[in-house]
Amino acid sequence: MKDDSQPADYRWVGKRLDRPDGADKVTGRARFGADIHLPGELVGKCLLSPHPHARILRIDTGKARALPGVKAVVTGADFPVLEDRPTPVADYAFNLWDQARTLMARDKVLFDGHPVAAVAATTEDVAQQALALIEVAYEILPHVTDLEAAMAPDAPLLHETMITTGVAPGPAAPSNIVARTMLERGNIDAGFEAADIVVEREFRSKPVHQGYIEPHACIASVAEDGRAELWTCTQGPWIDRAFCAGILGWEMSDLKVVATEIGGGFGGKLTVYDEPIALRLSQLTRKPVRMVMTRSEVLRRTGPTSGSLYRVRLGAKSDGTLVAADCEMILETGAFPGSPLGTARAIAFTHLDIPNLRLSSAEVVSNRPSVQAYRAPGGPITCYAQESVMDEMAEKLGISPFALIRKNAVREGTVSLAGFPLENLGLAQVLDAAEALEHLKTPLGPTQGRGIATSYWKNGGGQTSVSAILNEDGTVNVGIGTPDIGGLRASVSMMVAETMGVPYDKVTTTIADTSQLGFNSFTAGSRTAYAVGLAVVGASKDLIAQVCERAAKMWDLPPEAVDYADGMLRPAGPNAGAHDPVPLATIAAGFAKSGGPIMGKFTTDGPGAGPNFATHIADVEVDPETGGVTVLRYSIVVDVGRAIHPDYVEGQNQGGAAQGIGWALNEEYVYGADGRLQNTGFLDYRMPVAPDLPMIGCTLVEVPNPNHPFGVRGVGEVSIVPSVAAVANAVKDATGLRFFEIPMSPPRVLARIAGARAAKDPSLKPAFR
Amino acid sequence: MPKIHVTTTVNGGETEFLCEAHHTLLSVLRDTLGLTGTKEGCGSGDCGACSVNMNGRVVCACLVLAPEAEGATIETVEGLAGEAGMHPVQRAFIETAALQCGFCTPGFMVAAKDLLARNPDPSETEIRYWLAGNLCRCTGYDKIVRAVQKAAREPGRHART
C-alpha cells in the first residue's frame, strides 16, 4: 500500500533482492560466535550456583588448580570492585557493578545458575572435571522467586541496604522494591468520576526468554603487552567494549571487539556475560580462551524479560469517549535493577488521547537472573493489559475495537505522557488497512474466536558512525558497526546503491570492529535501518562530494559546477563549459593523480526516528477437552514508513508475532519451591515450532518518515507489541472467558473452563459448557 | 584410556578421526573436523540446528555418539552445494528471505533437502511437520515454508537429491 504523495520510483529501495550474506548462511560458511578458533586456545567454563540465595563462605580452588590441564581458575576476587553507580555509555547509563556481579558472584549468590568461579583448561573434558573439584561452602539463605512474595514486608532481602527510590518520604527500611515512579496528567479522580463505564482488571505474566537459537559464545586473546582481542556474538561491539573495559578496569584502546555473525539476539545480547571472564582467563594464562554457553546456562544465567503484575482501570463516557486511564505496572527485574519500566511506560495508552492518565510503576528484585531487554521491552505485557481492557470496554459499549480507537485516537502533534513526540502518525492508515482485510470476513466456528489489538512503539535512533570507500575499480565498500541480525547488510547496500546511483552488487557492506569506526550503538531498539540508513546515505553523499571535487579539478571548475547522477559526472550547466561526461569508475581509477584515496564517512546521533503503530488480528481455536489453543489465522498491519527490503520487513514482523504467540500460549520460566529453574532446555521451555503456527499475513502500510531520506521507520519491535493481546482477546472471544494471566497454556485454560463450567458462568460459550 | 579410531564418509570423502567414547558426532564435526556449519543450539536434540544426514536419515548430531559414525555416510550443510552450484533449497531460502540471523539455517537446509527427496510435492502441513524438529526464532516459519514450496517447484531438483 503506497502513499501516493511520495515518489517511489526507486531503482533498488523497495525491491526484494538477495541478501549479500545469504550464500554464507545457507552453506555453513558464516562464522558465528562458537565457530571462531585460535591456535593454542583453552576452554573456559563457569561453575554455577545450585542455590537461589546463599552467602559464599569460602571457595577452595586448590584441587581444581592441581588437575593436569587446568591453566587458571578465577573467582569474584579476581575482578575489580567497582563503584555502585551508573556509568554513562553514549546515550545510556549502565551500572557496571551490577553487571559484574551478575556474571560472577561476589559475597552472595542471588539466583540458581549464578556463576561463582571459572576455569580455563586444555579441553572441555578437563574443564568439566575441574569444575567438579572446586569446593564452595555456602550459607544457604531464604529465597524468593515470586514477584508478589518479594514485595511482602517479611520477604528475604536480596540487597540488605536497598531503599526504594522515587517515593517521598523515602521508606526507612530496606526492601526488594527498587524504585517507584509516577506520571500523571489531568485529574485521575475527576476523570473516573465523570466516567459512565469503568473497567478495572489485574493481569499477570511470567518471565520469558528471548530464545535466540545461538548460545552466547566468545573467544578472548590477550597479548603479553596487555592488548586484547575479543570475538563475540553481540548486538553491540562498542557497548561490549565499554562493559569489558569498565568491568576489568582496562583502557578502551587496548581492547578490540570483533562482532561475529550473531544467531539471534532480540535484546538478550546487549550485555556481557562470559566476555570479561574469558578476557581475564586469557590475561592470566596468556593463551586464547574460548567460552561457549550450554542451553541450560543460557536459560539459567542470561536475561529473560520481566514477569509482571498490571492493575489497569479505564473509564469511558457512554458515547465511547475515554476519559480516564490508570495503569500500575509492577515488573520483576531479577537479581539486579534494570527492568524495562521506561519503555513499558512509554507505550501504555500512547495511541489514545485520554485527558486524565496516570502511569505508575514499581520494580522488584527477586532470586532470578537479572532481566535483559527483549524485543520492545515491556511492550507486549503492557499491551496485553491495555488491549484486554480496551477489548472489554468496546464490548461493554457495544462497538468494535476499531471504532473505540478511532473515536479516541491520539492526535497529531501532541507529546505522550512519557515525553515522546507524536508526529507524522500513521495510525489512521493502519486502522483503515486492518479494517479492510478479508481476514475479518472469515467465519468462525463455535470453539473459535478472533482477537484484535493495536499498539504504538516509539522507535530509536542513536549513535552511529560509518565509512564508505570508493575502490579503484568504482565499486564501493561500506563499513558499519552494527551486527547484521536480519538482513541489515542488504538494506544498507540498497540504500547506498540508491544514493550513489550504482548497481546493488557493486556495493559490499562489512561489519567493522571497534578499532575501525567511531562509536556505534547496538543493533537494537528498532534503530538500525533508521540510524544506520541516515549514516550510510550521509557517507554516500560524502563520497559523491569528493568525486565531484576530483572531476572539478580535472575540468578546472569549482566543485559546485559538477553534477553527479547515476554514476556519471557532468558539468552542471552550459556555463561550466563542454566536457564529456565521466563515469564514477574513471574518477575512482585516477585517484592517485587527483588527490589520493577516496573515502567517505558520516557520524550521527540519529535524530527523528519517530513512532509507528501496528494492528494484529488473531483467530484461534480452543480445544474444550485439552485446553490447547491453536492459532488458525494471523494478520499483521504495520506502518513501516518505507520498506527498504520488504521481505525482511515482513520477516521481522512475522517473527515478532510468532514470539508473541509463544509468550501468550506456552512460554514461561518455571521455578520449583527450591528456587531452582525447572525448565532449562528447549524441550520444556517450549517455543513455537512450525506446526504450531499458520502462515502469517503481513500488510505493510507506508506512511514515510520525513526525517529519513527514504522514509524509514523502525520495524523490529512494533512487531511483537500487540501480539500477546491479540491472542488473549481471541481466546476470550472463543471461550467467553477473559484470561488474566499468561501464558494461556493448556492446563491453565482447561482449569479456567472447568471452573466456569462448575460455577455455571453465563459468559462461558455454549461449546464449552 | 586410548582414543577410538573412527573411519567414516563425510560429504563424499573418506574421513578418519580419533575420539573418546562419550564425544558426540557434533563435537567431532565442529571441533575435530572443522565443519562448523553444523550448529549447536541446545545439545539435547530439541532445536535441530545440528541436523545432519546420516545413512539417509536426518539426525541431530548432538544425539549421535562419535564412535557410531564408524562406516557411516554423513552429509552436512557443507556438502549440499556442489559444482553445479547451490542446492535448490539453498537458493530458495536466499530468494524468499527465509533466514534472518541464519543460525538455524544449516539445520533447515539438511532437513528440507531430505523432505524433498522423500516427498517432492509436500503440502504446507507436511512441510511444517517435517520441519517440526527445527527451531527458528526469527522468521515465524512463514518464509521458510514458502522457501521449501519454491524449492519443490524447481526443475532439476531431483538431480541433486
Side-chain angles (χ1 to χ4, degrees), chain A residues 16 18-19 22-23 25-28 30 32 34-35 37 125 209-215 262-264 266 290 295 374 485-487 647-648 650-652 654-656 658-659 667 681-683 685 687-691 693-697, chain B residues 20 22-23 30-31 36-44 46-47 49 77-78 81 86 90-91 93-106 109 124 127-129 131-132 134-143 145-146 149:
Chain A
R16 297 172 190 261
D18 290 355
R19 64 192 281 172
K25 286 176 176 163
V26 300
T27 59
F32 289 84
D35 300 338
H37 291 274
D125 290 343
H209 198 269
Q210 295 84 349
Y212 35 82
I213 311 297
E214 179 199 34
I262 172 171
F266 313 109
R290 183 167 167 270
R295 177 54 51 183
Y374 176 21
I485 312 190
D647 274 342
Y648 289 101
E650 290 164 4
Q652 288 272 319
Q654 291 163 333
Q659 287 181 313
E667 295 177 36
F682 279 146
L683 187 63
Y685 186 86
M687 310 196 306
V689 297
L693 297 174
M695 302 308 277
I696 299 172
Chain B
E20 296 195 27
H22 66 280
H23 287 168
R30 288 183 50 80
D31 300 335
T36 55
T38 304
K39 304 301 180 197
E40 177 164 349
C42 68
S44 54
D46 299 315
C47 79
V77 67
E78 288 94 342
M86 286 189 275
Q90 292 174 308
R91 288 203 305 274
F93 266 61
I94 297 173
E95 288 162 6
T96 57
L99 61 149
Q100 285 177 37
C101 79
F103 189 81
C104 69
T105 309
M109 295 295 101
E124 182 196 330
I127 293 170
R128 288 185 181 277
Y129 277 88
L131 299 177
N134 294 80
L135 280 177
C136 169
R137 190 62 156 174
C138 294
T139 65
Y141 304 102
D142 183 292
K143 293 188 190 303
V145 171
R146 291 176 199 278
Q149 289 170 332

Side-chain angles (χ1 to χ4, degrees), chain A residues 46 74-76 79 99-106 114-118 277:
Chain A
C46 284
V74 294
T75 68
F79 295 84
Q99 194 57 28
R101 288 180 292 169
T102 289
L103 63 91
M104 185 68 76
R106 305 298 165 105
H114 200 165
V116 292
I277 301 172

Side-chain angles (χ1 to χ4, degrees), chain A residues 397-593:
Chain A
L397 290 163
I399 60 176
S400 83
F402 290 111
L404 182 57
I405 296 178
R406 284 186 193 278
K407 187 161 181 66
N408 298 281
V410 70
R411 285 167 299 135
E412 176 74 30
T414 54
V415 176
S416 77
L417 180 55
F420 293 95
L422 296 159
E423 293 166 354
N424 310 304
L425 306 180
L427 176 58
Q429 291 90 330
V430 166
L431 297 173
D432 289 347
E435 279 200 280
L437 287 177
E438 283 298 308
H439 181 156
L440 292 172
K441 297 174 189 155
T442 314
L444 294 167
T447 59
Q448 299 175 356
R450 177 165 297 148
I452 297 166
T454 297
S455 193
Y456 147 98
W457 187 248
K458 65 183 182 59
N459 295 314
Q463 310 303 321
T464 307
S465 66
V466 302
S467 63
I469 298 163
L470 181 63
N471 297 313
E472 53 269 40
D473 64 354
T475 59
V476 179
N477 273 97
V478 182
I480 61 173
T482 34
D484 180 352
I485 312 190
L488 179 62
R489 288 181 183 91
S491 43
V492 163
S493 291
M494 290 165 76
M495 287 188 273
V496 171
E498 195 71 55
T499 309
M500 299 279 301
V502 300
Y504 170 66
D505 63 1
K506 302 297 181 201
V507 181
T508 297
T509 300
T510 303
I511 314 303
D513 68 51
T514 56
S515 66
Q516 294 166 323
L517 290 174
F519 185 89
N520 273 283
S521 189
F522 318 103
T523 295
S526 303
R527 75 171 213 93
T528 321
Y530 179 78
V532 179
L534 287 179
V536 296
V537 168
S540 301
K541 289 181 176 169
D542 186 9
L543 275 189
I544 290 169
Q546 293 184 42
V547 296
C548 286
E549 279 178 28
R550 305 297 170 106
K553 206 171 182 180
M554 190 171 73
W555 291 328
D556 198 19
L557 292 172
E560 58 273 16
V562 177
D563 263 356
Y564 177 90
D566 295 330
M568 295 297 288
L569 294 119
R570 294 182 176 82
N575 295 342
H579 299 287
D580 288 338
V582 171
L584 177 66
T586 303
I587 300 292
F591 77 90
K593 291 178 181 164

Side-chain angles (χ1 to χ4, degrees), chain A residues 178-194:
Chain A
V178 180
R180 290 184 182 276
T181 66
M182 170 106 67
L183 291 175
E184 188 170 352
R185 75 176 170 220
N187 183 323
I188 203 74
D189 293 333
F192 279 106
E193 274 168 31

Side-chain angles (χ1 to χ4, degrees), chain A residues 189-414:
Chain A
D189 293 333
F192 279 106
E193 274 168 31
D196 299 318
I197 303 171
V198 174
V199 176
E200 184 169 4
R201 295 295 189 188
E202 283 188 5
F203 300 89
R204 287 170 172 78
S205 74
K206 302 287 188 192
V208 296
H209 198 269
Q210 295 84 349
Y212 35 82
I213 311 297
E214 179 199 34
H216 297 257
C218 65
I219 182 164
S221 180
V222 183
E224 292 288 346
D225 62 5
R227 284 177 303 106
E229 295 172 293
L230 174 72
W231 288 259
T232 179
C233 51
T234 176
Q235 292 178 246
W238 275 262
I239 289 172
D240 255 31
R241 183 180 70 172
F243 270 112
C244 291
I247 287 169
L248 294 165
W250 295 0
E251 289 189 356
M252 288 187 182
S253 62
D254 284 340
L255 174 58
K256 178 172 89 174
V257 178
V258 185
T260 66
E261 295 304 320
I262 172 171
F266 313 109
K269 292 175 181 168
L270 301 180
T271 188
V272 293
Y273 294 101
D274 281 340
E275 289 89 340
I277 301 172
L279 285 163
R280 189 82 182 95
L281 288 169
S282 178
Q283 186 184 33
L284 291 170
T285 58
R286 297 179 300 280
K287 288 180 181 300
V289 174
R290 183 167 167 270
M291 298 185 76
V292 181
M293 284 195 199
T294 63
R295 177 54 51 183
S296 158
E297 280 184 277
V298 171
L299 288 166
R300 287 171 72 196
R301 283 174 64 190
T302 72
T305 191
S306 294
S308 66
L309 166 60
Y310 279 68
R311 297 191 181 101
V312 186
R313 202 159 44 118
L314 182 65
K317 305 291 278 183
S318 52
D319 70 351
T321 306
L322 296 174
V323 289
D326 188 7
C327 181
E328 183 185 11
M329 323 172 193
I330 303 170
L331 300 191
E332 59 180 74
T333 181
F336 293 99
S339 70
L341 280 174
T343 42
R345 204 169 63 174
I347 84 140
F349 294 100
T350 300
H351 65 306
L352 301 168
D353 179 22
I354 304 177
N356 306 293
L357 177 62
R358 180 162 66 187
L359 306 174
S360 55
S361 61
E363 176 178 27
V364 182
V365 293
S366 62
N367 293 113
R368 293 170 175 257
S370 299
V371 300
Q372 259 303 312
Y374 176 21
R375 196 171 210 156
I381 48 180
T382 306
C383 187
Y384 161 54
Q386 160 201 297
E387 290 297 277
S388 294
V389 168
M390 283 288 284
D391 193 57
E392 187 169 347
M393 182 63 83
E395 193 183 355
K396 283 190 156 61
L397 290 163
I399 60 176
S400 83
F402 290 111
L404 182 57
I405 296 178
R406 284 186 193 278
K407 187 161 181 66
N408 298 281
V410 70
R411 285 167 299 135
E412 176 74 30
T414 54

Side-chain angles (χ1 to χ4, degrees), chain B residues 61-75:
Chain B
C62 72
L63 297 184
V64 176
L65 289 169
E68 294 182 272
E70 176 66 39
T73 300
I74 293 163
E75 185 178 73

